[in-house]
Amino acid sequence: MLGVVSVKLILGVSGSPRKNANTDYLLEHALSAAAETQGIKTKTVYLRDYEIAPCNSCFACCTEAAKNGGQRACLCFQDGMEEVYPLLKECSALIVAAPVYFGSLNSQTKAFMDRTEGLLRYGKSIYSNALRNKVLGGVVVGGNRNAGQEFTLQQIHYFGMVHDMIVVGSGSEPTPGCYLGGCGTTYPQKGQIRDAVRQDQLALKNTAMLGRRVAEMLMLMQ
Amino acid sequence: MLGVVSVKLILGVSGSPRKNANTDYLLEHALSAAAETQGIKTKTVYLRDYEIAPCNSCFACCTEAAKNGGQRACLCFQDGMEEVYPLLKECSALIVAAPVYFGSLNSQTKAFMDRTEGLLRYGKSIYSNALRNKVLGGVVVGGNRNAGQEFTLQQIHYFGMVHDMIVVGSGSEPTPGCYLGGCGTTYPQKGQIRDAVRQDQLALKNTAMLGRRVAEMLMLMQ
Amino acid sequence: MLGVVSVKLILGVSGSPRKNANTDYLLEHALSAAAETQGIKTKTVYLRDYEIAPCNSCFACCTEAAKNGGQRACLCFQDGMEEVYPLLKECSALIVAAPVYFGSLNSQTKAFMDRTEGLLRYGKSIYSNALRNKVLGGVVVGGNRNAGQEFTLQQIHYFGMVHDMIVVGSGSEPTPGCYLGGCGTTYPQKGQIRDAVRQDQLALKNTAMLGRRVAEMLMLMQ
Amino acid sequence: MLGVVSVKLILGVSGSPRKNANTDYLLEHALSAAAETQGIKTKTVYLRDYEIAPCNSCFACCTEAAKNGGQRACLCFQDGMEEVYPLLKECSALIVAAPVYFGSLNSQTKAFMDRTEGLLRYGKSIYSNALRNKVLGGVVVGGNRNAGQEFTLQQIHYFGMVHDMIVVGSGSEPTPGCYLGGCGTTYPQKGQIRDAVRQDQLALKNTAMLGRRVAEMLMLMQ
């Protein structure tokens, strides 16, 4: 119908155990930048607010015949992920934001990812292929300047590749600080470490770029 | 004009020093699979057929005012890349195929990549941003089963991220063998090692998937 | 004292949620190969047998003055890790074995790693620098042939680098299948997937090599 | 003989095309720090001073019977590498320093690595296994803060794993900036970009740490 533009949802997922600290802040920054594009709405999920059991690799989601009318992405656990799955299905793009622990994703963020097995091509529910062809961007924060941020962004991208998503980096502005996505550091941790990234101008720049790039990619696919 | 469909070019670049051997074969396989999609044409560049000097990081391409009407992507060398640059500008997608040496790209393929500095956002010629928003896929071959193929695909993807390309993996069919792209091995090297990958059924599968995925992505962006 | 040789402990840690399945099997295989070297004893920890809370990044381990005589590596949680910490301190080498989920470590194995923050250089207990200069090797299993095994081994190695460990690969025999460590796949999953890796001759080879390499490295440092 | 201490050579290899610029400077910094340890001497090879052809994967080094008394590591090319091979055989440790181009090693540094095929386990000359059990560290410089430095260090480490070397990171001091090795950036490029890294205090710190760590590892193995 003439003049009707569908609004697309970018879902932000924060994997930080700390409320309102660096990761949350950068994710909000990315989503705000994305929302400058007309036709974009955003929503944020804070993983710490949900009980999410680690996947135990039972593969019921991929092998058992659909139960309950195929409404459940995971047949093993009934936990917080049941609230997250519909958002993953609804969204057009996903921005995963996480702190870097020991050079890679903290276990909480990875637990969330591992529980999306039923959203793969093998899934036997309505969630099969739920993330396919959706746009993915990553935002990370590390305690040192080069503390595994890039490796962690590549880890997020790997997740996207398995889901057959469209993985984007931070876009085309000069000297982004990082090409792979939003990339912050709390070093040298002036003041409260929880807030340190707010003084990381380079992170603020490439994180906003990442948000805009995700939105731009959605527009390229209209 | 009604009924006119533009034809999109997928450029294949082979970095193998060996003619008609494993890397060439897989690249041809990827391009053939891509060409099954209507509206796709393909072309292949074999880097071994060109003299390509390593970039010496003079940055003339990014800092000097446009010369010769801004027609030259590289102001330092006049070599085989002058024939390749126009193809990089013309194409809608790029598939880089390379052998894995010591866990990553062989130097010949990297020399080609390094010489695309002038195609970045900083470029001062008509080639500025020449690869931006184009689709990128990778195809690799290694001498062991897990010999750095994935690392090399990530290296190709990194190149794409710097160019602000749209990086795709091997798509959504089950058990692709590799999610990141075309991924072959010459192990266990039955018969001639130059031809070994032709017996690697898994590589043939995920390489064809990669080709189709690149074409699919182009269609998603129409 | 003449003739007295100290026995060195290699600790194996399995992160699989499945008992006696592929990861456990390969880890046992690595440890058996290591134990062929005189002066080596081994012990295995199965993470699934312990309650291990994800690190919530409180940094108490690194900032609070030693409590209880500095006996506790983690001041935040009292859980299964309290049984594991002494083994990490006692061992001379560590072999981490894990299944690959979405291209990287499953969250259970990462949760274990994240909880070793107090063993770093910043630790305020007797566990400070507990892993420094110890040998580290990795063993992984993935559901596709090139499913992130190498990326996961690099993730394990990153953990070791942060702890200032001595990271080794699979050693010097020809065509190991993987140079980075033990590397198995359940593909093409003949028979029970839980047992599939037992038919992966290449994995059995490089996993045994990894075990012997860890032992060899310990001997090089005597 | 009582009192005689063997002197061990750490060989530095710089892959930068620019003389006396950032990469050279950091490499010198690493070697100086290493040389503070008694019993260490250092030597530097600047790859730009040698003609080094890319490996064309003929595998003559690994398959042909030894010629000329097995004195030649490479049977295909007679170029600058003939001066480098003996140094690789003589040294006890190797520090590879390189600029980051497009997220990974510049092609010049990779060309050097690719030409060490004959030093592998398969080599048919006196250079077979020439790097095995030698210590390896990496030093890199990138144009953005998170521009692929870590990926490039992992690429250097991968090379070491294939050679069965003992790969070390930057050691145990707090907040090294990077755990994987020496890691500099020319960002934000105050003054001459060729000299920018001299103002990167964090790079100077972790590069010196890397040098000391290489020396320390040699001592641990005495």
Side-chain angles (χ1 to χ4, degrees):
Chain A
M1 200 162 58
L2 216 70
V4 174
V5 178
S6 71
V7 174
K8 293 185 172 184
L9 174 65
I10 302 179
L11 181 67
V13 171
S14 169
S16 174
R18 295 176 180 161
K19 190 174 177 179
N20 293 334
N22 300 298
T23 300
D24 286 10
Y25 184 79
L26 282 191
L27 176 57
E28 174 60 32
H29 192 67
L31 293 173
S32 297
E36 291 165 12
T37 298
Q38 208 176 0
I40 297 291
K41 64 176 180 181
T42 68
K43 187 173 175 61
T44 309
V45 163
Y46 302 99
L47 296 179
R48 63 182 172 271
D49 295 340
Y50 301 83
E51 196 80 30
I52 299 178
C55 171
N56 64 10
S57 204
C58 71
F59 284 134
C61 59
C62 301
T63 54
E64 291 193 18
K67 293 176 178 174
N68 300 321
Q71 298 297 309
R72 292 179 57 199
C74 173
L75 295 172
C76 185
F77 297 106
Q78 285 193 285
D79 60 9
M81 282 302 288
E82 302 224 322
E83 292 178 61
V84 182
Y85 290 135
L87 296 170
L88 290 171
K89 189 167 164 55
E90 178 193 352
C91 74
S92 297
L94 180 66
I95 296 179
V96 174
V100 177
Y101 294 1
F102 289 96
S104 58
L105 285 172
N106 68 336
S107 70
Q108 293 93 326
T109 308
K110 191 61 192 341
F112 154 75
M113 288 183 174
D114 291 351
R115 286 289 301 284
T116 64
E117 184 79 16
L119 281 64
L120 288 173
R121 44 191 77 71
Y122 324 102
K124 297 293 190 193
S125 75
I126 58 167
Y127 290 99
S128 175
N129 272 317
L131 291 173
R132 177 166 149 74
N133 285 338
K134 295 183 175 179
V135 178
L136 175 69
V139 174
V140 299
V141 189
N144 274 277
R145 190 175 74 178
N146 301 81
Q149 284 97 329
E150 295 187 66
F151 189 83
T152 307
L153 286 166
Q154 291 181 307
Q155 189 183 10
I156 293 171
H157 294 176
Y158 208 120
F159 163 81
M161 287 283 169
V162 178
H163 276 294
D164 211 18
M165 301 179 83
I166 296 157
V167 176
V168 295
S170 47
S172 75
E173 290 173 42
T175 52
C178 180
Y179 295 105
L180 303 181
C183 177
T185 180
T186 55
Y187 183 87
Q189 311 178 347
K190 301 167 192 150
Q192 281 293 325
I193 190 174
R194 287 174 51 93
D195 297 332
V197 89
R198 299 175 193 218
Q199 299 173 48
D200 181 353
Q201 294 304 317
L202 209 45
L204 297 177
K205 177 181 177 180
N206 56 40
T207 299
M209 285 169 66
L210 182 277
R212 285 193 292 268
R213 177 64 172 159
V214 168
E216 179 188 40
M217 191 66 225
L218 286 176
M219 296 303 127
L220 285 172
M221 294 177 68
Q222 268 187 335
Chain B
M1 201 163 57
L2 215 70
V4 174
V5 177
S6 70
V7 174
K8 294 187 173 182
L9 174 65
I10 302 180
L11 181 67
V13 171
S14 169
S16 174
R18 295 176 180 160
K19 189 172 176 180
N20 292 332
N22 300 298
T23 300
D24 286 10
Y25 185 79
L26 282 191
L27 176 56
E28 174 61 33
H29 192 66
L31 293 173
S32 297
E36 291 165 11
T37 299
Q38 209 176 359
I40 298 290
K41 64 177 180 181
T42 68
K43 188 173 173 62
T44 308
V45 163
Y46 301 99
L47 297 179
R48 63 182 171 270
D49 295 341
Y50 302 83
E51 197 80 28
I52 298 178
C55 172
N56 63 10
S57 204
C58 70
F59 284 133
C61 58
C62 302
T63 55
E64 292 193 18
K67 294 176 178 173
N68 298 322
Q71 299 297 309
R72 291 179 58 199
C74 173
L75 296 172
C76 185
F77 297 106
Q78 286 193 285
D79 59 7
M81 282 303 288
E82 302 223 324
E83 292 178 61
V84 181
Y85 290 134
L87 296 170
L88 291 170
K89 189 166 164 57
E90 178 193 350
C91 74
S92 296
L94 181 65
I95 297 180
V96 174
V100 178
Y101 294 1
F102 289 96
S104 58
L105 285 172
N106 68 335
S107 70
Q108 293 94 324
T109 308
K110 191 62 191 344
F112 153 75
M113 289 183 174
D114 290 351
R115 285 290 300 286
T116 65
E117 185 79 16
L119 281 63
L120 287 174
R121 44 191 80 69
Y122 324 103
K124 297 292 189 194
S125 74
I126 57 167
Y127 290 98
S128 175
N129 271 317
L131 291 174
R132 177 165 149 75
N133 284 339
K134 295 183 175 179
V135 178
L136 175 69
V139 175
V140 299
V141 189
N144 274 277
R145 190 175 75 180
N146 301 80
Q149 285 97 329
E150 294 187 65
F151 189 82
T152 307
L153 286 166
Q154 291 181 307
Q155 189 182 9
I156 293 170
H157 294 176
Y158 208 120
F159 163 81
M161 288 283 170
V162 177
H163 275 295
D164 211 18
M165 300 179 82
I166 297 157
V167 176
V168 296
S170 47
S172 76
E173 291 174 41
T175 52
C178 180
Y179 294 105
L180 302 181
C183 178
T185 181
T186 54
Y187 184 88
Q189 311 177 345
K190 298 167 195 151
Q192 281 295 325
I193 190 176
R194 286 174 52 94
D195 297 332
V197 89
R198 300 177 193 218
Q199 299 175 48
D200 181 353
Q201 295 305 317
L202 209 46
L204 297 178
K205 179 181 176 180
N206 55 41
T207 298
M209 286 170 65
L210 183 276
R212 286 192 292 268
R213 178 64 172 159
V214 169
E216 179 188 41
M217 191 66 225
L218 285 176
M219 297 303 127
L220 285 171
M221 294 176 68
Q222 268 187 330
Chain C
M1 201 163 55
L2 216 70
V4 173
V5 178
S6 71
V7 174
K8 294 187 172 181
L9 173 65
I10 301 180
L11 181 67
V13 171
S14 168
S16 174
R18 295 176 181 160
K19 189 173 176 179
N20 292 333
N22 300 298
T23 300
D24 286 11
Y25 184 78
L26 282 191
L27 177 56
E28 174 60 32
H29 192 67
L31 293 173
S32 297
E36 290 165 12
T37 298
Q38 208 176 0
I40 298 290
K41 65 177 179 180
T42 68
K43 187 173 174 62
T44 308
V45 163
Y46 302 99
L47 296 178
R48 62 182 172 270
D49 295 340
Y50 302 82
E51 196 80 30
I52 297 178
C55 171
N56 62 11
S57 203
C58 71
F59 284 132
C61 58
C62 301
T63 56
E64 293 192 18
K67 293 176 178 173
N68 300 320
Q71 299 297 307
R72 292 178 58 198
C74 173
L75 295 172
C76 184
F77 297 107
Q78 286 194 284
D79 59 8
M81 282 302 289
E82 303 223 323
E83 292 178 61
V84 181
Y85 289 134
L87 295 170
L88 291 170
K89 189 167 165 54
E90 178 193 351
C91 74
S92 296
L94 180 66
I95 296 179
V96 174
V100 178
Y101 295 1
F102 289 95
S104 59
L105 283 172
N106 67 336
S107 71
Q108 293 93 325
T109 308
K110 191 63 192 344
F112 154 75
M113 288 183 174
D114 291 350
R115 286 290 300 286
T116 65
E117 185 79 16
L119 281 62
L120 287 173
R121 44 191 78 69
Y122 323 103
K124 297 293 189 193
S125 74
I126 57 166
Y127 290 99
S128 175
N129 272 317
L131 291 173
R132 178 166 150 75
N133 284 340
K134 296 183 174 179
V135 178
L136 174 70
V139 174
V140 299
V141 189
N144 274 277
R145 189 176 76 179
N146 300 81
Q149 284 96 330
E150 294 185 67
F151 189 82
T152 307
L153 286 166
Q154 290 181 307
Q155 189 182 8
I156 293 170
H157 294 176
Y158 208 120
F159 163 82
M161 287 283 169
V162 178
H163 275 294
D164 212 16
M165 301 178 81
I166 296 156
V167 176
V168 295
S170 45
S172 76
E173 290 174 42
T175 53
C178 180
Y179 295 105
L180 303 181
C183 178
T185 180
T186 54
Y187 183 88
Q189 310 176 345
K190 299 167 193 150
Q192 282 294 325
I193 191 175
R194 289 174 50 95
D195 296 333
V197 89
R198 300 176 192 217
Q199 299 174 48
D200 180 354
Q201 294 305 318
L202 209 46
L204 297 177
K205 178 181 176 180
N206 56 40
T207 299
M209 284 169 65
L210 182 277
R212 286 193 291 267
R213 177 64 172 159
V214 168
E216 179 188 40
M217 190 66 226
L218 286 176
M219 296 306 127
L220 284 172
M221 295 176 68
Q222 266 188 334
Chain D
M1 201 163 58
L2 216 70
V4 173
V5 177
S6 70
V7 174
K8 294 187 173 183
L9 173 65
I10 302 181
L11 181 67
V13 171
S14 168
S16 174
R18 295 177 180 159
K19 189 173 176 179
N20 292 333
N22 300 297
T23 300
D24 286 10
Y25 184 78
L26 283 191
L27 176 57
E28 175 61 33
H29 192 67
L31 293 173
S32 297
E36 291 165 12
T37 299
Q38 209 176 1
I40 298 290
K41 64 177 179 180
T42 68
K43 187 174 175 62
T44 308
V45 164
Y46 302 99
L47 296 179
R48 62 182 172 272
D49 295 340
Y50 302 82
E51 196 79 30
I52 298 178
C55 172
N56 63 9
S57 204
C58 70
F59 285 133
C61 59
C62 301
T63 55
E64 292 192 19
K67 294 175 178 174
N68 300 320
Q71 299 296 310
R72 293 179 57 199
C74 173
L75 295 173
C76 185
F77 297 107
Q78 285 194 284
D79 59 9
M81 282 302 289
E82 302 223 324
E83 292 178 60
V84 182
Y85 291 134
L87 296 169
L88 291 170
K89 189 166 165 56
E90 179 192 350
C91 74
S92 296
L94 181 66
I95 296 180
V96 174
V100 177
Y101 294 2
F102 289 95
S104 58
L105 284 173
N106 68 337
S107 70
Q108 293 93 326
T109 309
K110 191 62 192 342
F112 154 74
M113 289 182 174
D114 291 352
R115 286 289 301 286
T116 64
E117 185 80 15
L119 280 64
L120 289 173
R121 45 190 79 68
Y122 323 103
K124 296 294 188 193
S125 74
I126 57 166
Y127 290 98
S128 175
N129 272 316
L131 291 173
R132 178 166 149 75
N133 284 338
K134 295 183 174 179
V135 178
L136 175 70
V139 174
V140 299
V141 188
N144 273 278
R145 191 175 75 180
N146 300 80
Q149 285 95 329
E150 294 185 68
F151 189 82
T152 307
L153 286 166
Q154 290 181 308
Q155 188 182 8
I156 294 170
H157 294 176
Y158 208 120
F159 163 82
M161 287 284 169
V162 177
H163 275 294
D164 212 17
M165 300 179 82
I166 296 157
V167 176
V168 295
S170 46
S172 77
E173 290 174 42
T175 53
C178 179
Y179 295 106
L180 303 181
C183 178
T185 180
T186 55
Y187 184 88
Q189 311 178 345
K190 300 168 194 150
Q192 282 294 327
I193 190 175
R194 287 174 51 94
D195 296 333
V197 88
R198 298 175 193 220
Q199 299 174 48
D200 181 353
Q201 295 305 317
L202 209 45
L204 297 178
K205 178 180 176 180
N206 55 42
T207 299
M209 285 168 66
L210 183 277
R212 286 193 290 269
R213 178 64 172 158
V214 168
E216 178 188 42
M217 190 66 226
L218 286 176
M219 295 305 128
L220 285 172
M221 293 176 68
Q222 267 186 333

